Amino acid sequence: MTPEATLARFREYMVGPARFMNLLSCFELGLIDTLRENPGMTAAKLGDAVGVKPDAVEQLLFLMVKEDFVAYDEGSGGYSLDALAAVDKGDLQRALAYMNLIKVVMLRQVFYLTDSVRTGKLAGLKELYGFDGNLYGAVAEHQDLRESWSKLMDNVTARIDPWFFEHVDIPPGARVLDVAGNTGLGAIHTYELKKSPGLRVTTFDLPEKEKECLENFQAHGVAEHCSFIGGDVFEEIPKGFDVVLIKHFLDMFDKDEVFKILDGVHRSLEVGGQVNIMVPVYPEDIKDPGYYTVDFFPTFFLGCTMGQGGAQKLSTYQSWLEECGFEVTKAVAKAPADIPSDVIPLPGIVCATKIA
Amino acid sequence: MTPEATLARFREYMVGPARFMNLLSCFELGLIDTLRENPGMTAAKLGDAVGVKPDAVEQLLFLMVKEDFVAYDEGSGGYSLDALAAVDKGDLQRALAYMNLIKVVMLRQVFYLTDSVRTGKLAGLKELYGFDGNLYGAVAEHQDLRESWSKLMDNVTARIDPWFFEHVDIPPGARVLDVAGNTGLGAIHTYELKKSPGLRVTTFDLPEKEKECLENFQAHGVAEHCSFIGGDVFEEIPKGFDVVLIKHFLDMFDKDEVFKILDGVHRSLEVGGQVNIMVPVYPEDIKDPGYYTVDFFPTFFLGCTMGQGGAQKLSTYQSWLEECGFEVTKAVAKAPADIPSDVIPLPGIVCATKIA
């Protein structure tokens, strides 16, 4: 790579924040929806329609035209949707939910990335919200964070859980523990997708989740098959279960903490007991240009959600499980071809059995 | 462009803010400088050296490895500079000054882009700094904004002014007015680069700039040839000059205001008087992928500096000057090949003569 190519790549990075908000703002202002319904509008008419000065409309649409998202007709001065016209509405909604998350949970917070990395604490949440703690605590107190976060998470869970349960073996009548199971959604999915006589699923999380979790079990009609245990995963993981699930959790922690969790699971299971983990994973070849995970998750975890943690390669999780006394029976990751082309995370699953 | 390609392009945009800060943070933390002096360090040693947990070092360097900026040796677990080793230090300093500006002046502010566009005011400066007004006012009150802003502007002026004066004709003994000349740097450059018997250069700007401006003239030994007039460009531009300069100013305003300024210049000049403007310009073909100006400036002006304005094509400035009663005698813009490959703005010059 020549110095010129390196500096040109820096320039790509430099325009990143501006490009991101220029695109999102065109949606937020209603420019895209207005053009969808009224193709051919001029900047003056568009400005009238959305309550923005025509000069600003023109400025924001330059980039949309450059990208062929929007077409501009020199003769009439009219704009219409170009590539954006052909994008499925559901796909667009998914992408916009992600963009909203990035705006609300990342854009301002990453300003403080260096401080967050130095202290291991989220300097951004402290500065912007006066909040001491991680994003998962902050969403409980701040509506803007909560809304953008839960909207995205509900989407992700709905899309990913069926794939997880396709790959994970839950023997009939098993006793299943969903570690860090939050307010029960994972347990509900487990029961609904893996129903068998005698199957019992228990959500394990901090005691303050119990009330909402039990209400969720009631609302989904699974209260007879699901239960809740309150506790701290770093102190003791409950015994008496055949299968442990750990979904969207290990990536929140540095290696030491991941080992504490895996050791705890190991202690809680009998020999032959199973653990199934799901996490976003980095590609085995970090340089693979088809993957966007290392472009996103280090900053996301270190600067915006935890002040620590981050995803790993699937092979790293495999070897960590082996180091903790498990035999890996399955390791599978989604490839870019398996997911929509706007989606950044690629989930991986590792299934393992306690051997000693 | 297929829907898949459009969504993939969205993903490029989505990783923009994270990529930007991941790269900058590696410099801020000292990881790059440490590796330059001690190639082959592991994440553990690097972490020790810069006071950061090794897990976080590893996470932040994933992207640097993906980009070939940094090399990773599987066997030893050691990192060393790859492409970054060959980049000239001066080039790197210039790029880092720009990145610092983007971080301090844009990154958090663009969160409020939609609000700023709707109201025509900088919602970000208000929310983040409690400041009502534009960036040029805010830099006077806020040191962090001022430092990142002036560092960059000094670089830019030093690089660009010689090119401007190469192209601009200042007749011997002319009386020159530098409109919106701030604290005199443009006047000083004019005198130093275009010295002739009887040449007089006057800085025109708001009265509060006078003191610092006159001090600058003294310090540069040009006080005999340079003077200051206080006033407001939107009220009246002083008469009695042969040549008017307008540098880095017209891009701050919407079309109506640009016309007010050009009309004011027209009134102030005699027939045959000259105006020379310099502004960043957009390419004539907005879709030209070699240009990064529309990726940056709309958001920069609308969301971060003015709440209005933005650059235009060179041909747009030409036709605006013609509409205001000038004959354009020269119009020239830098091309991407003329500037270092990390630099975003491409300046243009339009010279014109009052014809009626």
Side-chain angles (χ1 to χ4, degrees), chain A residues 135-273:
Chain A
L135 178 67
Y136 310 97
V139 296
E141 291 186 19
H142 295 279
Q143 197 191 350
D144 60 334
L145 296 171
R146 183 166 63 250
E147 278 175 4
S148 73
W149 176 253
S150 16
K151 186 166 181 184
L152 185 84
M153 281 298 106
D154 291 352
N155 279 346
V156 169
T157 305
R159 202 170 61 242
I160 295 300
D161 266 10
W163 178 75
F164 176 72
F165 287 108
E166 241 172 62
H167 281 280
V168 166
D169 182 43
I170 310 268
R175 296 158 303 166
V176 179
L177 183 71
D178 187 19
V179 166
N182 200 14
T183 55
L185 188 61
I188 294 164
H189 283 168
T190 308
Y191 188 78
E192 286 174 346
L193 294 164
K194 293 292 191 177
K195 209 173 294 191
S196 67
L199 177 67
R200 287 204 56 83
V201 193
T202 302
T203 296
F204 177 58
D205 212 311
L206 300 174
E208 59 260 36
K209 311 270 186 175
E210 178 162 11
K211 186 165 168 289
E212 196 180 335
C213 185
L214 295 179
E215 285 166 8
N216 283 337
F217 292 156
Q218 285 289 350
H220 283 79
V222 298
E224 214 182 305
H225 314 286
C226 295
S227 57
F228 181 92
I229 297 179
D232 180 343
V233 74
F234 290 106
E235 287 175 7
E236 193 178 5
I237 294 175
K239 292 190 167 61
F241 295 89
D242 309 304
V243 176
V244 166
L245 311 178
I246 317 178
K247 289 160 55 196
H248 307 298
F249 189 59
L250 295 185
D251 46 330
M252 290 161 57
F253 302 101
D254 285 344
K255 185 177 177 182
D256 288 352
E257 280 72 39
V258 174
F259 270 63
K260 277 182 204 153
I261 298 165
L262 295 181
D263 286 340
V265 172
H266 192 268
R267 275 193 303 276
S268 84
L269 285 171
E270 304 287 324
V271 169

Side-chain angles (χ1 to χ4, degrees), chain A residues 110-111 113, chain B residues 17-25 28 103 107:
Chain A
V110 294
F111 175 89
L113 178 61
Chain B
R19 273 182 181 163
F20 171 78
M21 268 315 296
N22 189 334
L23 174 61
L24 183 53
S25 198
E28 290 182 345
K103 176 188 164 189
L107 192 57

Side-chain angles (χ1 to χ4, degrees), chain B residues 27-154:
Chain B
F27 283 98
E28 290 182 345
L29 288 166
L31 292 173
I32 307 301
D33 285 342
T34 305
L35 282 178
R36 191 186 303 281
E37 297 185 5
N38 306 282
M41 287 174 94
T42 61
K45 286 200 174 158
L46 267 170
D48 269 358
V50 305
V52 165
K53 242 187 131 179
D55 305 65
V57 170
E58 222 176 330
Q59 289 287 329
L60 291 173
L61 290 179
F62 276 129
L63 182 59
M64 301 301 102
V65 171
K66 181 182 178 188
E67 292 286 4
D68 290 326
F69 293 161
V70 168
Y72 176 66
D73 181 67
E74 290 277 352
S76 65
Y79 297 90
S80 52
L81 297 193
D82 191 354
L84 283 179
V87 179
D88 174 82
K89 278 223 162 178
D91 288 337
L92 213 47
Q93 286 316 312
R94 179 189 57 238
L96 286 170
Y98 226 101
M99 290 179 77
N100 186 260
L101 175 87
I102 291 168
K103 176 188 164 189
V104 176
V105 167
M106 293 187 80
L107 192 57
R108 294 161 300 162
Q109 289 83 341
V110 294
F111 176 89
Y112 306 94
L113 177 61
T114 299
D115 276 352
S116 298
V117 169
R118 278 206 184 107
T119 60
K121 288 181 181 173
L122 293 175
L125 278 184
K126 180 78 183 157
E127 289 291 331
L128 297 163
Y129 290 88
F131 187 84
D132 261 320
N134 66 33
L135 178 67
Y136 310 98
V139 296
E141 289 185 19
H142 295 279
Q143 199 192 348
D144 60 332
L145 296 172
R146 182 166 62 250
E147 278 175 3
S148 74
W149 176 252
S150 18
K151 186 168 181 182
L152 187 83
M153 280 299 104
D154 291 350

Side-chain angles (χ1 to χ4, degrees), chain B residues 144-219:
Chain B
D144 60 332
L145 296 172
R146 182 166 62 250
E147 278 175 3
S148 74
W149 176 252
S150 18
K151 186 168 181 182
L152 187 83
M153 280 299 104
D154 291 350
N155 279 345
V156 169
T157 305
R159 202 170 61 243
I160 296 299
D161 265 10
W163 178 75
F164 175 72
F165 287 108
E166 239 172 63
H167 281 279
V168 166
D169 182 44
I170 310 267
R175 296 158 303 166
V176 180
L177 185 70
D178 187 20
V179 167
N182 199 15
T183 55
L185 188 60
I188 295 165
H189 284 168
T190 309
Y191 188 77
E192 287 174 346
L193 293 165
K194 293 292 189 178
K195 208 173 297 192
S196 67
L199 177 67
R200 286 205 55 84
V201 193
T202 302
T203 296
F204 177 58
D205 211 312
L206 300 174
E208 59 260 37
K209 311 268 185 178
E210 178 163 12
K211 186 164 169 288
E212 196 180 334
C213 186
L214 295 180
E215 285 166 6
N216 284 336
F217 292 156
Q218 285 290 351

Side-chain angles (χ1 to χ4, degrees), chain A residues 1 3-25 27-29 50-53 55-56 58-60 62-69 74 82-84 86-88 91-92 94-96 98-99 102-104 106-108 110-114 117-118 128 254-257 282 286-292 294-299 302 308-313 339-344, chain B residues 1 3-25 27-29 50-53 55-56 58-60 62-69 74 82-84 86-88 91-92 94-96 98-99 102-104 106-108 110-114 117-118 128 254-257 282 286-292 294-299 302 308-313 339-344:
Chain A
M1 199 176 188
E4 290 69 34
T6 306
L7 291 169
R9 194 68 188 147
F10 273 41
R11 185 174 51 189
E12 283 285 339
Y13 275 48
M14 287 187 217
V15 294
R19 274 183 180 162
F20 171 78
M21 269 314 296
N22 189 334
L23 173 61
L24 183 53
S25 198
F27 283 97
E28 289 182 346
L29 289 166
V50 306
V52 165
K53 240 186 133 179
D55 304 65
E58 223 176 331
Q59 289 287 330
L60 291 173
F62 276 130
L63 182 59
M64 302 300 101
V65 171
K66 180 181 180 188
E67 292 286 3
D68 290 325
F69 293 161
E74 290 277 351
D82 190 353
L84 284 179
V87 179
D88 173 82
D91 288 337
L92 214 46
R94 179 189 57 237
L96 287 170
Y98 225 101
M99 290 178 76
I102 291 168
K103 176 189 164 189
V104 176
M106 294 188 79
L107 192 57
R108 292 162 300 162
V110 294
F111 175 89
Y112 306 94
L113 178 61
T114 298
V117 168
R118 278 206 184 108
L128 298 162
D254 285 344
K255 185 177 177 182
D256 288 352
E257 280 72 39
Y282 296 154
I286 287 296
K287 299 191 182 192
D288 191 324
Y291 288 79
Y292 286 73
V294 301
D295 304 65
F296 181 80
F297 281 112
T299 297
L302 295 172
Q308 62 163 306
Q312 301 289 342
K313 297 178 186 181
I339 59 164
S341 50
D342 56 298
V343 172
I344 296 166
Chain B
M1 199 177 187
E4 290 69 34
T6 306
L7 291 169
R9 194 69 188 147
F10 273 42
R11 184 175 51 188
E12 283 285 340
Y13 275 48
M14 286 187 217
V15 295
R19 273 182 181 163
F20 171 78
M21 268 315 296
N22 189 334
L23 174 61
L24 183 53
S25 198
F27 283 98
E28 290 182 345
L29 288 166
V50 305
V52 165
K53 242 187 131 179
D55 305 65
E58 222 176 330
Q59 289 287 329
L60 291 173
F62 276 129
L63 182 59
M64 301 301 102
V65 171
K66 181 182 178 188
E67 292 286 4
D68 290 326
F69 293 161
E74 290 277 352
D82 191 354
L84 283 179
V87 179
D88 174 82
D91 288 337
L92 213 47
R94 179 189 57 238
L96 286 170
Y98 226 101
M99 290 179 77
I102 291 168
K103 176 188 164 189
V104 176
M106 293 187 80
L107 192 57
R108 294 161 300 162
V110 294
F111 176 89
Y112 306 94
L113 177 61
T114 299
V117 169
R118 278 206 184 107
L128 297 163
D254 285 345
K255 186 177 176 181
D256 288 352
E257 280 73 38
Y282 297 154
I286 287 295
K287 298 192 184 194
D288 191 324
Y291 289 79
Y292 285 73
V294 301
D295 304 65
F296 182 80
F297 281 112
T299 297
L302 295 172
Q308 64 164 304
Q312 300 290 342
K313 297 178 188 181
I339 58 163
S341 50
D342 55 299
V343 171
I344 296 165

